[in-house]
Amino acid sequence: MAILVQKEGDSRTSVPVIRVENLWKSFGGQTVLKGLDFSVSQGETFVVIGGSGQGKSVLLKHIIRLLKADDGDVYIQGTPIMPLSQPDLYEVRRKMGMVFQESALFDSMSILDNVAFALRMHTKLPEQMIREQSREKLLKVGLRNVEGKFPSEISGGMKKRVGIARAIALSPEILLYDEPTTGLDPVLASAIDELILKMQSELSVTSIVITHDMKSAMRIADRILFLFRGEIRFMGTPEELMRAEDPVLTQFVRGETQGPIGTL
Ligand SMILES: Nc1ncnc2c1ncn2[C@@H]1O[C@H](COP(=O)(O)OP(=O)(O)OP(=O)(O)O)[C@@H](O)[C@H]1O
Ligand SMILES: [Mg+2]
């Protein structure tokens, strides 16, 4: 469950960890995000669902400012990130880990070096400790005896897990996952769900998870956002989603071919 940290006697509502405000983005003539507004609070697992090409990855890329908004902003712990200079942006990014949809591993580096990359960049830890911590993160995602291999030598599902190990290497406060269970078998997918829940309960990590996997969404989400044609069509708890009567949402959730999607 989401935990809102509020000091005693503090009458203000605490600042959300992530706040997306009036976010607009177009590519050429195509408007992908149409003024999105939402906040994610401390310790919350916030799941984004929506059809292919609806702007989920584009949204996540704005949250770490790999993409710049046409209008609006993203606030990380109260700091607007669109105007930040590169050094200030790096400071904010240090708090964040991102699991990319396509794993985005460095092909010329071993698996261990991929996971160790951020530790080498951002810490002054001795080499032995870096290697130990990287191995520990790989174990956390269920990978052993792969440290010396290269990305081209492991399966897609394994790459996905290396991507997660790399994202959690610096023990970030915020984790962004772009389809972390796509391409994994059902047992591994459940193991990743458990890992996401564990990161939340043990470290109070705030997460945004994009997924097509409704079972996973219902299992891990405190709240779910349904993105449709660049707008928020639904936002609420899994229980509220189950009760919702919007035919577009129910068709999507049930994966039915008959319904308003595609004909609207
Ligand atoms: N860098 C870019 N330049 C131009 N168009 C882009 C760019 N990135 C995304 N788009 C377009 O924006 C739209 C949304 O893309 P996005 O990758 O966010 O979809 P998605 O919801 O993540 O889909 P999927 O579930 O298939 O991953 C698509 O039409 C895509 O072609
Ligand atoms: Mg995507």
Side-chain angles (χ1 to χ4, degrees), residues 33-260:
L33 303 179
K34 298 176 184 165
L36 300 188
D37 274 300
F38 62 89
S39 296
V40 184
S41 51
Q42 167 72 45
E44 193 174 20
T45 300
F46 188 84
V47 170
V48 179
I49 59 172
S52 199
Q54 299 292 317
K56 304 180 299 299
S57 296
V58 166
L59 167 63
L60 218 57
K61 284 175 184 165
H62 280 85
I63 295 173
I64 47 166
R65 220 196 76 180
L66 282 178
L67 287 172
K68 267 202 160 187
D70 295 339
D71 199 2
D73 216 319
V74 175
Y75 295 78
I76 302 294
Q77 294 167 333
T79 304
I81 62 167
M82 294 305 156
L84 288 183
S85 64
Q86 281 298 331
D88 291 340
L89 181 62
Y90 283 134
E91 275 310 300
V92 173
R93 280 207 191 130
R94 265 194 71 146
K95 302 175 188 168
M96 308 168 96
M98 168 119 182
V99 179
F100 290 91
Q101 185 165 1
E102 309 300 342
S103 298
L105 302 180
F106 303 115
D107 289 333
S108 60
M109 284 187 196
S110 72
I111 299 306
L112 187 103
D113 288 340
N114 262 282
V115 179
F117 185 78
L119 291 166
R120 291 194 175 121
M121 282 275 287
H122 294 292
T123 73
K124 294 190 166 60
L125 289 172
E127 180 58 22
Q128 195 196 338
M129 203 170 279
I130 287 181
R131 297 178 79 82
E132 243 166 57
Q133 287 194 8
S134 303
R135 255 185 228 114
E136 185 199 307
K137 303 296 184 199
L138 283 166
L139 281 179
K140 254 197 167 51
V141 296
L143 289 175
R144 59 185 76 232
N145 304 324
V146 294
E147 294 103 66
K149 290 193 193 301
F150 285 83
S152 61
E153 299 172 319
I154 63 174
S155 74
M158 288 162 104
K159 278 188 208 164
K160 201 107 212 177
R161 287 183 284 157
V162 175
I164 296 174
R166 189 178 61 176
I168 63 178
L170 282 171
S171 304
E173 295 168 52
I174 299 167
L175 270 168
L176 308 173
Y177 302 86
D178 198 346
E179 300 196 24
T181 58
T182 305
L184 299 184
D185 67 52
V187 175
L188 276 178
S190 294
I192 296 302
D193 286 348
E194 274 163 27
L195 181 73
I196 294 170
L197 290 171
K198 201 165 127 195
M199 301 288 296
Q200 181 199 25
S201 64
E202 287 179 6
L203 305 170
S204 193
V205 166
T206 305
S207 310
I208 299 185
V209 185
I210 292 177
T211 188
H212 281 133
D213 179 345
M214 283 313 299
K215 195 168 148 241
S216 167
M218 299 305 280
R219 193 164 168 218
I220 64 175
D222 290 307
R223 279 187 303 148
I224 297 175
L225 183 159
F226 175 50
L227 198 59
F228 185 69
R229 306 213 167 147
E231 294 179 89
I232 298 175
R233 183 84 185 203
F234 168 88
M235 184 161 56
T237 63
E239 295 72 30
E240 286 165 347
L241 183 138
M242 291 319 288
R243 286 200 304 269
E245 287 175 1
D246 175 1
V248 172
L249 179 64
T250 49
Q251 184 192 349
F252 181 81
V253 169
R254 294 181 192 148
E256 291 165 348
T257 50
Q258 298 296 311

